[in-house]
Amino acid sequence: MFVCLQFQDTCVGFLLGGIGEVNRTKQPSHNFMVVDKNTLPSEIEANFTAFLRRDDIDIILINQNIAEQIRHLIDAHTAPIPAILEIPSKDQPYDPNKDSILRRAKGLYSAEEYR
């Protein structure tokens, strides 16, 4: 299952693509969080931590500028599942230097290993 921690326009696209979850009683489940300018970092942290604890979540998609607000939690997450994928938003371009997964991957390989 995917989880979205994103701005409304990004989340709507994923929901239209079918990522939104409905449980057995046809009630919407909590597998996404829409973040706006009034969302407190503590709310983002609480939802992110709750998503990490769920065993039915394999991938967490998060806009990179939202990830910056909880970078300490993302950097502390070392388990392979759920994978945390940082994606760009329409307001900010993607910066690979901030992405924790790419930083870890760069640390695994040196230039000499590619020869």
Side-chain angles (χ1 to χ4, degrees):
M1 175 194 298
F2 288 92
V3 170
C4 301
L5 277 158
Q6 302 164 353
F7 291 117
Q8 184 172 0
D9 52 343
T10 308
C11 233
V12 167
F14 282 108
L15 292 172
L16 288 171
I19 287 181
E21 179 184 303
V22 176
N23 62 23
R24 291 182 186 157
T25 61
K26 304 293 184 208
Q27 298 299 315
S29 181
H30 183 68
N31 71 332
F32 66 93
M33 176 186 185
V34 176
V35 176
D36 62 21
K37 63 181 178 171
N38 297 321
T39 305
L40 299 173
S42 59
E43 292 175 78
I44 300 169
E45 288 178 2
N47 277 283
F48 179 78
T49 303
F51 292 147
L52 287 178
R53 284 188 293 233
R54 286 179 51 179
D55 62 355
D56 63 333
I57 293 176
D58 296 325
I59 300 172
I60 296 175
L61 300 172
I62 184 168
N63 285 120
Q64 192 172 54
N65 50 344
I66 296 170
E68 283 299 306
Q69 296 180 45
I70 59 167
R71 179 63 59 199
H72 62 284
L73 292 176
I74 292 173
D75 288 345
H77 177 70
T78 58
I81 296 176
I84 301 167
L85 302 178
E86 296 180 29
I87 61 174
S89 68
K90 70 177 187 176
D91 299 329
Q92 267 186 308
Y94 175 76
D95 183 357
N97 294 321
K98 293 180 180 178
D99 191 318
S100 60
I101 291 178
L102 281 179
R103 284 196 324 254
R104 287 182 199 154
K106 286 180 184 177
L108 293 176
Y109 302 104
S110 66
E112 292 179 9
E113 291 182 53
Y114 291 112
R115 293 184 185 165

